[in-house]
Amino acid sequence: MELTLTPMTEEELARLWEPLEVGYAEDLVAHRGMTPEAARERSAQQMREGLPAGAATEGVLLRVARVGDTEVGWIWVSLPGVGTAGGPTQAWILNIEVHPAYQGRGHARRMIQLIEAELAALGVPELGLNVFGTNTVATGLYRSLGFEVTAQQMAKRLDPAG
């Protein structure tokens, strides 16, 4: 069966909201050195700002990925000029998730291909995203789909003198 993307409902967003908020906070702790409390607050704030009207937020594409009747993941994309990511001509993948039971089957690749087609039909000339440097699986996928590194953020942990 073919993977399809359909607009996310408010009910689907409500079900996915908490896991997304928690998961992003965990990434902030692991990759940005934030405390769990600060990371959770930052995650919640960014979600509220990015989706002020929930699934009906203008300039945002929230899509659920399905194979037949089975939900396998979802993708969140901001259109050009929306929010701080992407800028005036670039859409931005804010999050892409494949549920654990369905990973490793090419679903993320197909989700990106389908969202690219939707964006191209809207006249969007470019698509960008951020990826944590330690996520080598995602980095490999994005490179194989033609994404190029346009910026890098680097960090080094220090052992403070005590």
Side-chain angles (χ1 to χ4, degrees):
M1 289 193 150
E2 177 71 18
L3 184 137
T4 60
L5 294 180
T6 57
M8 185 179 290
T9 66
E10 286 298 329
E11 294 78 21
E12 289 165 333
L13 179 59
R15 181 175 40 80
L16 297 169
W17 190 281
E18 176 97 5
L20 175 58
E21 191 176 300
V22 169
Y24 184 53
E26 289 170 352
D27 284 339
L28 290 173
V29 169
H31 302 288
R32 300 270 166 87
M34 297 178 80
T35 66
E37 298 77 21
R40 186 65 189 261
E41 185 177 315
R42 172 95 177 263
S43 178
Q45 174 190 2
Q46 287 187 322
M47 292 210 28
R48 284 190 309 271
E49 289 173 358
L51 295 169
T57 300
E58 284 190 46
V60 169
L61 303 178
L62 284 170
R63 301 292 183 258
V64 175
R66 289 187 175 81
V67 175
D69 292 333
T70 303
E71 179 183 312
V72 299
W74 58 280
I75 189 168
W76 173 10
V77 176
S78 65
L79 295 176
V82 175
T84 57
T89 62
Q90 187 180 60
W92 199 262
I93 296 175
L94 294 164
N95 200 60
I96 181 170
E97 299 271 340
V98 175
H99 301 316
Y102 304 101
Q103 293 175 355
R105 301 181 191 183
H107 295 320
R109 173 179 301 281
R110 189 66 184 135
M111 289 165 64
I112 293 170
Q113 291 168 335
L114 290 171
I115 207 73
E116 286 175 353
E118 185 174 352
L119 291 166
L122 293 173
V124 175
E126 190 174 28
L127 177 60
L129 56 82
N130 281 330
V131 60
F132 288 111
T134 57
N135 193 342
T136 57
V137 172
T139 301
L141 169 65
Y142 301 142
R143 284 195 175 129
S144 75
L145 285 165
F147 287 82
E148 300 173 350
V149 175
T150 58
Q152 287 187 315
Q153 180 180 14
M154 300 175 80
K156 178 181 178 182
R157 302 242 184 241
L158 303 177
D159 185 16

